[in-house]
Amino acid sequence: MMFTVHQTFHTDLITGIYPEAERLGYDVLLSGATHGRSEAKAVEALLSHRCEAVILLGPDADPAYLAELGQRTVTVSVSRRVPQAHVDFVHSAEGKGVRQAMDHLVELGHRRIVHIDGGRGPGSAERRRAYRAAMRRHGLEDRARVIPGEHTEESGIETGRLLLAERDSGRPLPTAVLAGNDRCAMGLLMALTRAGVEVPRDLSVVGYDDSHLSHLMPIGLTTVRQDAVLMAEHAVRFAVERLENGELPPREAVLDPKLVVRGTSGPAPAEGSQGVSA
């Protein structure tokens, strides 16, 4: 199994993969991708150990490489869909999850809702499209704003600094931010709270993943839950079934996400009542 070392949601997926693999009589070998170790190198290390199948957690590799990998060995991609590749896919219904989050915020009275993009991260394109579609559906298309980012805490911190600098120059803060994932949301919360912005009184924050860290914070993160255990079970079963029958066509499992409301989302603040600069 190939995973990205710093992605907390991958830890949740790994936790679910081990028992299902053992139940079906298979061992699991891990190979991590980091800033200094590419996904391709992590995958080739697995193949060098004669792994029978490869499960890729949130792969960011070139689609051509993934298509070629699918021809070489049994391959399952989790959280990223690669059309036309001979690879099985397991992911959540990203658009449905974003719609739930956006409906929640609009129902709370939010109109200035910003989205921090996840860049090339898994699910980012679908989440970005769903955010724009939700803003249109609620008649807020002219207020839509996507800030470039990544699925990292650093991206959230940088966005927080940007929004605070804009506030100090006279542009009001958004009333809510939909972050690309939980890590990004946590970075944003760090930047905002250090500057005296109270969440959710001054600004609401919603993440995506419901990784295990999201409910361990002093204030629990409102987020869209992806069922890591169910995703892990589907991935292992797909791999084993293809090992038993290599003629199976590529398959896709799309799982329903669920909004989990915690402490970082609340009613939109009244105009002009958001935190002021120190």
Side-chain angles (χ1 to χ4, degrees):
M1 178 166 46
M2 187 285 297
F3 69 105
T4 302
V5 171
H6 298 294
Q7 287 294 352
T8 53
F9 186 62
H10 289 187
T11 304
D12 298 339
L13 288 167
I14 291 169
T15 301
I17 282 174
Y18 270 111
E20 184 64 10
E22 291 172 2
R23 186 183 73 82
L24 295 173
Y26 287 84
D27 291 326
V28 177
L29 182 65
L30 300 178
S31 187
T34 67
H35 292 301
R37 189 173 193 248
S38 69
E39 291 183 359
K41 189 169 184 178
V43 169
E44 295 305 321
L46 293 171
L47 296 179
S48 72
H49 284 84
R50 299 183 179 180
C51 290
E52 296 176 78
V54 177
I55 297 176
L56 310 174
L57 303 186
D60 191 34
D62 185 272
Y65 172 75
L66 297 180
E68 186 266 339
L69 181 64
Q71 296 296 329
R72 293 166 58 193
T73 189
V74 171
T75 305
V76 181
S77 174
V78 179
S79 294
R80 182 187 175 192
R81 187 172 182 273
V82 187
Q84 311 306 320
H86 192 72
V87 172
D88 292 320
F89 309 109
V90 179
H91 61 95
S92 71
E94 310 282 354
K96 187 173 183 178
V98 169
R99 284 195 299 274
Q100 292 178 27
M102 294 294 290
D103 288 350
H104 169 65
L105 291 172
V106 171
E107 288 171 4
L108 289 170
H110 294 278
R111 298 296 180 267
R112 297 197 310 275
I113 306 170
V114 166
H115 175 51
I116 307 176
D117 188 27
R120 294 180 57 192
S124 296
E126 292 85 354
R127 295 171 197 178
R128 181 171 58 249
R129 285 195 294 267
Y131 161 78
R132 292 189 183 280
M135 292 294 278
R136 287 195 301 270
R137 182 163 52 89
H138 288 291
L140 302 172
E141 185 173 10
D142 60 334
R143 298 190 179 192
R145 183 184 182 190
V146 176
I147 298 177
E150 296 179 339
H151 285 170
T152 64
E153 292 85 357
E154 291 80 9
S155 177
I157 292 171
E158 290 174 5
T159 299
R161 290 172 177 166
L162 169 66
L163 295 176
L164 291 165
E166 292 178 349
R167 178 199 63 180
D168 294 343
S169 65
R171 181 173 183 173
L173 286 172
T175 64
V177 176
L178 173 65
N181 73 343
D182 288 350
R183 291 180 62 196
C184 180
M186 291 175 189
L188 175 65
L189 287 169
M190 289 171 57
L192 294 176
T193 54
R194 286 173 180 171
V197 177
E198 292 191 27
V199 176
R201 187 196 72 179
D202 299 326
L203 187 151
S204 290
V205 176
V206 178
Y208 204 107
D209 284 343
D210 194 30
S211 59
H212 64 276
L213 295 179
S214 63
H215 48 84
L216 298 179
M217 303 166 57
I219 176 171
L221 177 67
T222 295
T223 184
V224 178
R225 182 174 187 263
Q226 299 191 86
D227 192 328
V229 172
L230 195 57
M231 293 175 77
E233 291 175 351
H234 272 81
V236 173
R237 291 172 193 166
F238 274 180
V240 172
E241 289 168 4
R242 187 167 294 284
L243 284 170
E244 296 173 348
N245 181 5
E247 300 304 315
L248 286 172
R251 294 158 300 164
E252 182 174 4
V254 184
L255 308 181
D256 282 340
K258 181 181 179 182
L259 179 69
V260 180
V261 178
R262 297 194 180 99
T264 60
S265 59
E271 290 294 330
S273 66
Q274 289 172 299
V276 296
S277 57

